[in-house]
Amino acid sequence: SLFYKSAGKSEEERITIHPYALVLHRDSIYCVGYHVGRGEIRTFVLDRMRDTECAVTERFELPEDFAVDQYFQGEFGIWRDQEPHRVVVEFDAQAAEYVRARKVHASQKLQGIANGGLRLTMTVGNLTPVVSWVLEWGRRARVVEPAELAERVREELEGALAHYENGKRLAPKAKPKR
């Protein structure tokens, strides 16, 4: 049992979990486990845990159908969704070389396209980390599907671009010291 403060909540709560695995992802440690109070498998950030106590007299069984590699999404990490999403992203020739050199997801399939480019197709459980991954490629990548992912990438790009239009600044410019 432990005190845990979920993202977006103002108060922490005392919860009991059955920890299944610890995973290091992007410089944070996550615990995936069964949340006894909610009756479901959840992912918890270790940095949000406090006053952890281990019940030495209680035991639990790891479910036979649980596999940590299947629960997480490779490079796309800790995000989960009930519904899988088919993702298709096309890369230009310059990016294609780098995409071929890495495996970003267990389900990925690569196919050459015109002008030396590459089409990557994969099935992921959550689109949130895919948005930032596509944005990392800048003009070298284009989302073909799903439309929801293409729209989210477009909104992020438009929002970022708005910061640079007409000399806008996020914060007031500091006056030079004399």
Side-chain angles (χ1 to χ4, degrees), residues 92-134:
D92 68 10
Q94 187 175 351
E97 176 183 344
Y98 296 101
V99 175
R100 278 188 188 96
R102 330 181 32 187
K103 185 164 189 155
V104 297
H105 195 271
S107 70
Q108 80 179 38
K109 301 219 180 335
L110 304 176
Q111 175 185 12
I113 58 174
N115 299 321
L118 185 69
R119 176 179 286 137
L120 179 142
T121 303
M122 62 186 166
T123 303
V124 300
N126 188 291
L127 296 175
T128 300
V130 182
V131 172
S132 61
W133 179 75
V134 170

Side-chain angles (χ1 to χ4, degrees), residues 51-121:
D51 293 339
T52 304
E53 296 178 5
C54 182
V56 295
T57 59
E58 293 182 34
R59 300 282 185 257
F60 66 89
E61 295 286 327
L62 188 65
E64 288 184 26
D65 62 345
F66 179 80
V68 72
D69 293 340
Q70 291 173 354
Y71 187 81
F72 291 103
Q73 301 183 69
E75 189 161 306
F76 299 112
I78 59 146
W79 298 85
R80 300 280 302 162
D81 255 356
Q82 294 300 322
E83 180 182 327
H85 301 275
R86 181 176 187 261
V87 171
V88 179
V89 180
E90 290 183 348
F91 297 89
D92 68 10
Q94 187 175 351
E97 176 183 344
Y98 296 101
V99 175
R100 278 188 188 96
R102 330 181 32 187
K103 185 164 189 155
V104 297
H105 195 271
S107 70
Q108 80 179 38
K109 301 219 180 335
L110 304 176
Q111 175 185 12
I113 58 174
N115 299 321
L118 185 69
R119 176 179 286 137
L120 179 142
T121 303

Side-chain angles (χ1 to χ4, degrees), residues 15-59:
I15 63 172
T16 299
I17 64 172
H18 299 163
Y20 292 171
L22 295 176
V23 176
L24 178 63
H25 179 69
R26 293 192 176 186
D27 298 326
S28 289
I29 299 173
Y30 297 87
C31 173
V32 60
Y34 182 77
H35 187 302
V36 174
R38 294 196 178 168
E40 61 189 11
I41 297 175
R42 304 284 301 251
T43 303
F44 306 93
V45 184
L46 252 58
D47 292 344
R48 294 184 188 157
M49 293 181 176
R50 187 175 67 80
D51 293 339
T52 304
E53 296 178 5
C54 182
V56 295
T57 59
E58 293 182 34
R59 300 282 185 257

